[in-house]
Amino acid sequence: MATVFTVDALRRLASALGLSLNTTDLTISIPADGLAQMTVTRILDQEEIDALSQWFITEGVEAIQTGTTTYSLKPREVKP
C-alpha cells in the first residue's frame, strides 16, 4: 500500500532539504544496489540565467539541444 504524504509533511521535507521556493520537482530514487539519488528541478532566477549565459560565452561552450519527454500510461479502453 502506497503512503500518501500530506502537504505539511512535504513542506517540512522541503524545508529540511533547504529547497528554494523555485523548486518545481523533487525526485528521490533508491536503487536496490546503489546509493540514494535526489534530483531537484527548479526555476532559475534572472541573476542565475545571466550568470549561466555569461559562462557559456566566456567558456565558448556550445549548446546541445536536449530534452525530456514524460509519458503517463492509462488503461486501454476495450470495445465490446
Side-chain angles (χ1 to χ4, degrees):
M1 178 180 222
T3 301
V4 178
F5 294 101
T6 65
V7 173
D8 287 338
L10 293 175
R11 282 189 183 136
R12 287 193 305 274
L13 175 61
S15 177
L17 294 173
L19 300 177
S20 73
L21 296 176
N22 294 344
T23 300
T24 60
D25 186 56
L26 171 66
T27 304
I28 299 173
S29 60
I30 306 172
D33 61 348
L35 296 173
Q37 182 178 38
M38 181 173 74
T39 304
V40 177
T41 304
R42 65 183 185 84
I43 299 169
L44 299 177
D45 61 29
Q46 190 60 50
E47 186 177 316
E48 291 170 318
I49 292 170
D50 292 342
L52 185 58
S53 299
Q54 186 59 45
W55 181 79
F56 267 79
I57 294 167
T58 303
E59 297 298 321
V61 177
E62 191 172 319
I64 300 172
Q65 293 294 327
T66 62
T68 301
T69 304
T70 302
Y71 296 93
S72 297
L73 303 177
K74 69 175 188 175
R76 183 175 21 177
E77 292 183 22
V78 180
K79 295 183 181 182

